[in-house]
Structure formats: structure tokens, C-alpha cells
Amino acid sequence: MSDALKHECGIALIRLLKPLEYYKEKYGSAFYGVNKMYLMMEKQHNRGQDGAGFASIKLDTQPGERYISRVRSVAQQPIQDIFAQINDRINDELTAHPEYQNNVQAQKRHIPYVGELLLGHVRYGTFGKNSVESVHPFLRQNNWMHRNLIVAGNFNMTNVTELFNNLINIGQHPKEKADTITIMEKIGHFLDDAVSKIYKNLKKEGYSKVECSPLIAERLKVAKILRKAAKNWDGGYAMAGLLGHGDSFVLRDPAGIRPAYYYKDDEVVVVASERPVIQTVFNVKFEDVIELDPGHAIITKKSGETSIKKILNPLERKACSFERIYFSRGSDAEIYQERKMLGRLLMPEVLKAIDNDTENTVFSYIPNTAETSFYGMIETVEEHLNQRKTQAILNGGGKLSADRVRQILKERPRIEKIAIKDVKLRTFITEDSSRDDLVAHVYDVTYGVIEPKDNLVIIDDSIVRGTTLKKSIIKMMDRLHPKKIVVVSSAPQIRYPDCYGIDMANLEGLVAFRAALELLKDTNKYQVVEDVYKKCKAQINLDDKDVQNFVKEIYEPFTNEEISDKISELLSDDEVKAEVKIIFQPVENLHKACPKNLGDWYFTGDYPTVGGNRVVNKAFINFYEGNKERAY
């Protein structure tokens, strides 16, 4: 993607179902779980590079023995940093105590991070300080083993203020208003309550205080705690949690906005944000990795018993389509085909834009994630050319010479790697950078393959803000002196902010919104802006379920093509000599390509939860009033 777009986050959970000695004997190491967690986190580093965290729990430890370990990092390469710390600690202990080398119980007792229950997290910080205190997993500590709670998630809540106030109303004093804290404290409140009730019942049944502890672990109903805690959550989430005694869970939101997949056999229970991560790390088949249903949780008790429980009634499934377009790894079998289809479906509009002149057109892509859509686009070009070649040969009536036939068959798409991404330079430039000269050189171009009579077609995953296109890519493409530059977005026009975990919080940052405003000015309809503002303001005190998305009215006077053409104007300037044309994927084609992920609110404004409409209206009010704060 040409725009730097951040996304929260990636989770990985591993529960080892056998004693650690089993893994030592079969796989050669009691650190089997730690090693697998490293691989799972590395395979999801695409989901977050601002921070990483790891936590583990040892089962059945004796009083006085440490059973929870946690390490977090915001280093430049945080995954490597935390596992370097883990490895250093393990190696230090083994060096100091050679007798631990072949004694698994001694390793478990004395070496941190070696446990049966492990949780990993990779983070993109969409807002707030990127300090280590913001990195998951979060830990809620207590002297009662059952009340210790570790939480990590891929999520964003739209109703943080409401959740915060709910905590105050039940007598708590949260240390922060951040949604991670409010979520953890809400779960923690009902966990405390459940433990207390079970303890009182056990005492009435005549058990001693010491006897109560293991019985609490048996009787604790995690699903019941989650139902109470999640009752008022509004957002997209895949929420993972560990309880100190050894229970674990991963809960997915009712609309299935954020992804979660799991795998189970007699050795492990594994959950991750992406299917191919589990496939690769545990060497299992596609069909063995199961998608967690929306509104459901996978719960593993300390005993190892695993179940799928419905926690919340599922809503209409609106799984995030950006997962398929961009965020998830393209190695997933379904996602790979979907991205190719996105490229294929764009081809009719591309051929129209170049007047079917494939002979004088060079096709390329914005590295690296647009590459798969590019393959789909090229397959369609080849099919188009094959039809043309076939017709030319048939028109010859069997009288064509061998040279002429060879000449006809020789025509093929002209494919070149035009844009080359300088990853280190991208990393150096901060999100709020105003250093335009640096931004302009994030990409290099390949010289000598474009002629002045050529069209240049280049595909991108999506166009969000358009900043890099305007300041870098289009100008650099223009240096090659093509006749026409056609930028193709495999995603539709992004018109509305996200509020479920993707860093698109402000309307004015979206190039489609800016284009609509310019069209309103051009057509003397800018009064619509004030009308929408008044309608949004009038809804401030309504319940979320009664709020409508009036921001749609900004776009209603115009066709998709009119907005696309205005975006083309906005992203080129007098310095650009070539004609610039920008083509977007129609929403209906997105749905054809990604039929299981119909979450399209950033394109259509149809938010899957009631909090979404309030957020988009708040974002518009902020824009109108010049307020730079986030809408959620």
C-alpha cells in the first residue's frame, strides 16, 4: 500500500496439553511452546511492528514459586528483542545451573517463560504514546491465583466512555480511560465476583480454605464471566485472556469484524489472527484450521478440556474486508485467490482507460502487497490478448503466413517492475512528518522501459489519503515520460473513518472526502456541508441505536466516476505532464471477490455496530469545527 496505514494488531495463544516432558522427549526441548510462539509472532509481524509482548503461565506450581512471566518491548525490532531477552534469561539459568539441562521439572520450577500456557501479541499503535506501558499483554495481578488476569487483543471499542463510566458506577477507579484497561477491568470485575461466590459456596459445603483453591478452578465458568463482561461492548475484537490458574479464552466480536482462527489436536490448542500462521508453524492442512465463529469464544480449562461457547448473539457477519485486501498475509489460500480476483475484476475499466491499446501499455504494481492483485489483472490481460490473437488468426481464413502467425502470437502484456520501495526510508519517516522531500523519495523507479507513446498502468491495494501518490509515486512515474498514468486501486473509494482498529480516524485525511468537498464547491452545493453538520450535532445526545450516518449526504450528489476524476485532479498538479486517471474497484466487485468478508463500512458508511454511526458523525463534527481530536 502506498499510504502508510496502521492496524491493530495480531494475537497468538498456545496451550500445551501434555506435560513439558512430553515435548522434551518428542521434539527435543521443553521450550517447544516458547519456540512455536516466536514463530507465530514472527509470521504475524505484518500486523504490528510498534511493539510486541509475551506472557506465560506455569500450571500446578507450588506456593512461593513464580508462575506468571511477562516481557514487552517497543524496540525497533520488538519481536526479536523480547525473544532475545527470553533466550538470554534461559541460557543464563542453564549456564549457572548445568543440572537443569535434562531436568524438565527443574527448568519449569526455576526458569521463567517456560510454561504450558503462552500468549503473544504484536502491536501497531493507532494512537496514544507508543510506550511499553501501551503494549499488550496487560496484567491484572492478585494474590489469589484465580484472580490474576492477562489480556491481549486485536480490537477497538467505539464506546470507551460508556464502558469507563460503567466501571465507575460499580465502584472501581480505573487508572486510565484506554479501552484495553476498561475491557480488562470489566472482565476482572466479574472474575473477582465469580471467584468470591464460588469460595463462599465451597465454605458452606465444609471445605477448608486450602481445599477451595483447586475446586474454584474446576467450577469457574469462563463463558459466564465473558457474557457479563462483554454485554455492552461495541466494537471489533478478537480478545485473548489467561487466568492465573490456567484457564484461557479467545472471544470474537458478534459481527466477526476482527479475525480469529484455531487448531486443536491432542498436543496443543492454538489460536491466531491468521490461518496460514497456524498452518505453517504447526504444519497442518488448510481444513484443519477453523475460523472462530462471531460472538463465540474458544475456552480451554486448566484440565485441558476445550469448548466453543456462544457468548453473544451473532450479528450480521461483517468481517473486515481490509483483512483480505491488505492486512492479512497473502499466503492464505483463500486470500490469495481473492486478491487475484480483485485484480481481474478491474480489468474492463483498465482496458477502457487505455482504449484497449495493450501494445503501448506497461503494467506494474506498487510493491509489495499489490503484487497478488497484479497477477490477477495480468491473467485477464492475457485472456483478452488470447481472444484477440485467436480472432486475428481466424480472420486470416487459413491464408496467413507462418511469420504472420508468429507475429500475432508474439503479442503479450508488457510487464515491468516500475516502482521500487525503499523500506528503510519509509521506516525513518514518522507518521506526522512534514518532510515532503523524504516522502517524495520513498519509492525509486526503473528507467528505460517506458516510451513517450506508452500508457503506464500501476495497481495499488487501496488509496486512503493519497499523500504518497501525490508527493512521490505519480511524480516519479511522470519522470519516465509516459503518455498516460493509470493508477488502479483494488479497493473501492475509502469515504468513511474506521473505528474498529484501523488507523483511519479523521475524515479530512481521506482523499475521497476531500474530493467530494471540492465537487460541492464546484457545483455550488457546499451548503450540504453545513446541513450535514447540523444534523450530526442534533444527534449528539441520542442513544447509539438511534443515530444515523448523515455523512453519506456529502457523497450523494455525485457518481463514483465523478469522485474518481476529482481525486485524479487532486493527486496530480501542474508539474505532472502525463494525463492521470485513477480507477477504483466498485463495491459490488469487492463483494464478488471477497464473499465471506463483507465488512465495507469504510467504503459505504454502513457500520456493522451501532457505535459506528456515532463515530462517523463525531468525525464530521470534528472536521467542521477544526477539532483535531479523534472521534473515538
Side-chain angles (χ1 to χ4, degrees):
M1 184 183 289
S2 55
D3 288 314
L5 190 60
K6 292 187 175 182
H7 176 246
E8 294 186 329
C9 294
I11 58 170
L13 184 147
I14 298 174
R15 169 63 201 275
L16 302 179
L17 297 174
K18 304 282 190 183
L20 293 181
E21 287 84 357
Y22 173 91
Y23 305 95
K24 168 75 170 174
E25 183 176 341
K26 183 171 182 179
Y27 299 105
S29 173
F31 311 132
Y32 172 83
V34 174
N35 294 336
K36 290 296 188 185
M37 180 57 75
Y38 169 69
L39 291 172
M40 288 184 73
M41 291 174 68
E42 275 291 4
K43 295 294 181 185
Q44 293 187 105
H45 79 272
N46 54 296
R47 304 186 69 85
Q49 297 166 33
D50 288 342
F54 168 96
S56 66
I57 289 179
K58 303 173 190 285
L59 302 183
D60 299 315
T61 57
Q62 295 300 310
E65 295 178 357
R66 184 173 178 178
Y67 58 96
I68 294 177
S69 300
R70 181 178 62 151
V71 57
R72 299 180 293 175
S73 174
V74 289
Q76 190 168 6
Q77 295 183 308
I79 299 171
Q80 290 90 329
D81 182 51
I82 62 174
F83 282 95
Q85 293 183 52
I86 291 170
N87 285 332
D88 287 347
R89 185 67 187 275
I90 290 173
N91 290 331
D92 288 347
E93 291 289 342
L94 292 176
T95 301
H97 300 279
E99 67 275 16
Y100 296 169
Q101 193 70 48
N102 295 305
N103 187 333
V104 176
Q105 280 305 306
Q107 290 175 8
K108 178 177 173 179
R109 190 176 307 116
H110 299 292
I111 300 178
Y113 311 115
V114 181
E116 294 89 346
L117 188 53
L118 308 100
L119 179 61
H121 187 266
V122 292
R123 176 181 188 266
Y124 265 139
T126 57
F127 63 97
K129 294 180 180 179
N130 192 36
S131 63
V132 74
E133 287 80 15
S134 301
V135 178
H136 302 202
F138 279 56
L139 172 61
R140 187 180 191 263
Q141 292 182 288
N142 195 286
N143 267 354
W144 282 66
M145 180 180 279
H146 319 85
R147 293 186 181 184
N148 281 288
L149 174 65
I150 303 171
V151 171
N154 167 21
F155 70 99
N156 206 77
M157 299 297 173
T158 71
N159 60 337
V160 179
T161 301
E162 177 191 340
L163 297 174
F164 181 80
N165 290 336
N166 286 346
L167 291 175
I168 295 172
N169 291 337
I170 59 177
Q172 290 196 14
H173 187 95
K175 62 181 182 180
E176 288 182 46
K177 200 173 181 178
D179 51 7
T180 310
I181 297 295
T182 55
I183 292 301
M184 183 173 66
E185 292 300 339
K186 194 70 179 255
I187 299 171
H189 169 77
F190 290 108
L191 174 61
D192 289 347
D193 188 52
V195 170
S196 295
K197 287 178 179 175
I198 295 170
Y199 177 70
K200 288 177 182 176
N201 289 337
L202 289 168
K203 289 290 288 175
K204 288 178 183 177
E205 293 171 27
Y207 291 101
S208 70
K209 293 178 180 179
V210 173
E211 291 172 326
C212 285
S213 189
L215 294 172
I216 290 172
E218 289 178 17
R219 296 190 184 187
L220 199 63
K221 292 181 170 57
V222 177
K224 187 175 182 180
I225 293 168
L226 292 176
R227 288 187 189 107
K228 290 180 177 181
K231 184 179 179 182
N232 296 318
W233 293 356
D234 188 281
Y237 49 88
M239 196 74 62
L242 315 179
L243 307 187
H245 63 275
D247 289 358
S248 68
F249 67 86
V250 176
L251 168 62
R252 192 177 183 197
D253 68 85
I257 296 170
R258 300 265 68 89
Y261 297 86
Y262 68 90
Y263 166 76
K264 182 184 183 302
D265 60 22
D266 62 346
E267 294 182 353
V268 292
V269 178
V270 187
V271 189
S273 293
E274 299 190 30
R275 188 200 325 258
V277 172
I278 301 175
Q279 283 185 256
T280 300
V281 174
F282 290 89
N283 191 27
V284 295
K285 297 175 183 176
F286 176 93
E287 56 269 22
D288 293 334
V289 183
I290 302 168
E291 185 174 3
L292 183 61
D293 287 333
H296 287 65
I298 178 168
I299 298 168
T300 302
K301 292 290 292 177
K302 176 181 178 292
S303 64
E305 177 190 353
T306 301
S307 58
I308 308 296
K309 300 285 188 181
K310 186 174 81 170
I311 305 303
L312 298 164
N313 290 324
L315 303 172
E316 182 182 0
R317 181 186 164 93
K318 291 291 183 180
C320 172
S321 56
F322 250 116
E323 290 284 350
R324 319 302 274 190
I325 296 166
Y326 173 66
F327 289 118
S328 292
R329 294 172 75 89
S331 55
D332 183 282
E334 286 184 342
I335 292 174
Y336 183 78
Q337 295 302 326
E338 288 170 7
R339 289 183 183 174
K340 285 183 74 174
M341 181 58 71
L342 287 169
R344 292 178 67 90
L345 292 172
L346 281 160
M347 212 49 225
E349 281 300 309
V350 173
L351 290 171
K352 183 178 171 184
I354 61 173
D355 296 323
N356 290 309
D357 184 9
T358 52
E359 184 179 349
N360 295 306
T361 300
V362 171
F363 296 90
S364 193
Y365 61 92
I366 305 293
N368 292 316
T369 48
E371 186 174 3
T372 308
S373 298
F374 173 73
Y375 291 145
M377 186 171 73
I378 292 304
E379 284 181 2
T380 311
V381 179
E382 289 171 341
E383 290 170 5
H384 170 77
L385 289 179
N386 286 339
Q387 290 174 3
R388 202 158 74 186
K389 293 175 193 177
T390 302
Q391 192 60 50
I393 291 171
L394 291 174
N395 289 344
K399 298 178 181 179
L400 297 178
S401 67
D403 283 345
R404 178 57 185 146
V405 172
R406 277 194 291 270
Q407 186 181 5
I408 291 170
L409 293 177
K410 189 178 179 181
E411 187 178 0
R412 63 190 59 192
R414 292 170 60 193
I415 301 168
E416 304 289 352
K417 187 166 185 179
I418 297 295
I420 303 161
K421 192 175 186 179
D422 193 327
V423 177
K424 291 182 179 178
L425 187 57
R426 163 75 87 191
T427 304
F428 177 71
I429 301 170
T430 57
E431 181 69 21
D432 58 355
S433 172
S434 59
R435 291 168 285 179
D436 290 355
D437 189 52
L438 287 174
V439 173
H441 292 85
V442 166
Y443 290 88
D444 290 329
V445 289
T446 303
Y447 293 93
V449 294
I450 303 286
E451 298 179 18
K453 63 180 180 179
D454 288 336
N455 304 302
L456 174 55
V457 174
I458 192 155
I459 189 168
D460 198 357
D461 292 293
S462 59
I463 300 169
V464 186
R465 305 176 186 98
T467 307
T468 308
L469 274 177
K470 182 179 178 69
K471 294 180 179 178
S472 178
I473 294 171
I474 290 175
K475 288 182 178 178
M476 296 190 81
M477 299 295 118
D478 194 54
R479 291 181 196 169
L480 304 177
H481 307 297
K483 177 180 69 176
K484 187 174 188 178
I485 299 170
V486 181
V487 181
V488 186
S489 169
S490 69
Q493 297 166 5
I494 297 169
R495 299 181 171 193
Y496 304 93
D498 182 65
C499 51
Y500 304 116
I502 299 174
D503 186 21
M504 296 189 296
N506 299 314
L507 273 168
E508 60 269 29
L510 307 178
V511 68
F513 181 74
R514 299 199 306 271
L517 294 181
E518 291 300 315
L519 285 169
L520 289 172
K521 292 176 185 175
D522 294 346
T523 55
N524 295 316
K525 296 177 181 176
Y526 204 76
Q527 178 63 34
V528 171
V529 174
E530 187 173 347
D531 293 342
V532 170
Y533 171 68
K534 290 177 180 176
K535 291 177 180 179
C536 292
K537 288 287 281 188
Q539 297 188 106
I540 283 178
N541 295 319
L542 295 182
D543 290 339
D544 284 355
K545 63 182 175 57
D546 298 320
V547 176
Q548 299 178 56
N549 179 1
F550 287 113
V551 181
K552 291 183 178 184
E553 295 180 9
I554 297 294
Y555 300 98
E556 282 175 1
F558 312 111
T559 65
N560 290 341
E561 290 72 24
E562 287 172 325
I563 294 174
S564 294
D565 289 344
K566 180 56 72 171
I567 291 172
S568 301
E569 286 181 33
L570 293 179
L571 298 187
S572 57
D573 54 35
D574 294 339
E575 293 179 34
V576 178
K577 300 296 186 284
E579 179 188 349
V580 176
K581 171 76 173 175
I582 297 184
I583 296 173
F584 288 89
Q585 187 83 256
V587 172
E588 54 270 25
N589 280 354
L590 173 68
H591 291 171
K592 285 180 189 175
C594 308
K596 295 181 182 178
N597 283 54
L598 300 177
D600 60 6
W601 53 93
Y602 3 73
F603 313 122
T604 63
D606 297 331
Y607 287 87
T609 75
V610 293
N613 286 342
R614 176 175 48 78
V615 168
V616 69
N617 285 344
K618 176 63 173 171
F620 189 84
I621 292 169
N622 287 346
F623 149 73
Y624 190 91
E625 295 179 350
N627 187 345
K628 297 300 182 184
E629 72 178 28
R630 298 176 70 88
Y632 57 89

